[in-house]
Amino acid sequence: DMAGMFDGCNSLTSLNVSKFDTRNVTSMAGMFYGCNNLNSLNVSKFDTRNVTSMGDMFCGCSSLTSLDVLNFDTQNVTKMSGMFYGCINLISLDVSNFDTQNVTDMKYMFVNCVNLATIYASDKFVTTACSEDEEMFWGCKKLVGVVPYDKNKVGKEMANYTTGYFTYKAASVLMRFRQRRTSLQSTTT
C-alpha cells in the first residue's frame, strides 16, 4: 500500500522514485497528493499490474509540466477519481495504454487541468463500468479532441475520440509486447 505516501509534501521540487519496485502494490491512491511544487517526477517504470486504486494519485501536482504514465497497466484499476485533478501545468497527457474496463469511479479525473489541450487515448479507454463521473472534465477550458471543450458537457460521455475530448492514438504495440512478456514471466516463476 503506497496510498498517501508523499501526501502533502508541498516543499518537494523533485523526487526520484524511478527504482521503486511496485509490482505488489495494490493502492497508489493519493500517492503524490498535494505535491504542488514537484516539477519533476519519473513514474514511467512503475509496475501497476496489481493496482486497484489510483484515485487522487497526482491530485494537486500543479507544477508538473509533463507526466509519463504510458507504461501504466490499469486493467485491475477500479478507482481513478481525481487522478489528475489540479494538474494545471500539464499541456498534454497520453493515456493511450489505459485499459479502463473495470474502472467504476472517474469523477473529477481531469478537473481544473486548465492548460491541458490534448488527451491521447485508444479503444481501451472505456467508461462502460463507470457509475461515478461527476464533472470529469470540469475546468479543462483548453481541451480539444474531436470537439472543443464545452462547460456544459463535462461527464464520461465526452471521454472518447469519436464525439468527445480525446485524441485517438493506437495502443502501443511495444506495450502489448511488454505485458505479454511480463505475463509469461509470471507464469514460469
Side-chain angles (χ1 to χ4, degrees):
D1 188 345
M2 289 184 170
M5 190 171 191
F6 301 102
D7 183 345
C9 292
N10 57 5
S11 293
L12 283 178
T13 56
S14 66
L15 181 62
N16 185 353
V17 293
S18 62
K19 298 202 189 281
F20 274 26
D21 180 351
T22 59
R23 67 183 149 200
N24 295 317
V25 177
T26 58
S27 180
M28 292 183 173
M31 189 171 179
F32 304 102
Y33 186 98
C35 293
N36 58 341
N37 284 308
L38 196 59
N39 56 41
S40 172
L41 183 63
N42 182 354
V43 292
S44 64
K45 293 190 171 129
F46 273 23
D47 182 339
T48 59
R49 73 182 106 172
N50 291 310
V51 176
T52 58
S53 181
M54 291 182 174
D56 296 328
M57 187 172 180
F58 304 104
C59 181
C61 290
S62 56
S63 294
L64 289 178
T65 56
S66 65
L67 187 60
D68 183 354
V69 291
L70 195 57
N71 253 352
F72 278 26
D73 179 343
T74 61
Q75 65 185 349
N76 292 314
V77 177
T78 59
K79 187 171 183 177
M80 288 184 171
S81 60
M83 188 172 180
F84 304 104
Y85 189 122
C87 291
I88 62 172
N89 281 307
L90 287 181
I91 295 168
S92 70
L93 190 61
D94 191 338
V95 294
S96 61
N97 283 320
F98 277 31
D99 178 345
T100 59
Q101 66 182 329
N102 294 313
V103 179
T104 59
D105 188 351
M106 290 185 185
K107 69 181 173 231
Y108 314 129
M109 189 170 179
F110 303 102
V111 165
N112 276 339
C113 291
V114 294
N115 287 304
L116 190 59
T118 310
I119 301 174
Y120 295 101
S122 74
D123 293 331
K124 296 191 310 179
F125 198 109
V126 295
T127 59
T128 47
C130 186
S131 58
E132 298 288 334
D133 73 320
E134 187 178 340
E135 300 180 344
M136 188 174 174
F137 297 100
W138 189 87
C140 298
K141 300 172 187 177
K142 293 185 179 178
L143 190 57
V144 178
V146 177
V147 296
Y149 176 77
D150 178 342
K151 67 180 180 178
N152 298 310
K153 296 180 180 179
V154 293
K156 69 180 180 182
E157 73 280 0
M158 302 310 288
N160 67 76
Y161 58 81
T162 54
T163 60
Y165 300 141
F166 289 166
T167 299
Y168 179 73
K169 184 176 179 187
S172 166
V173 174
L174 178 60
M175 183 65 180
R176 281 188 240 134
F177 171 76
R178 285 182 187 156
Q179 288 173 340
R180 202 170 285 145
R181 184 182 68 201
T182 302
S183 177
L184 288 172
Q185 288 172 342
S186 296
T187 57
T188 58
T189 54

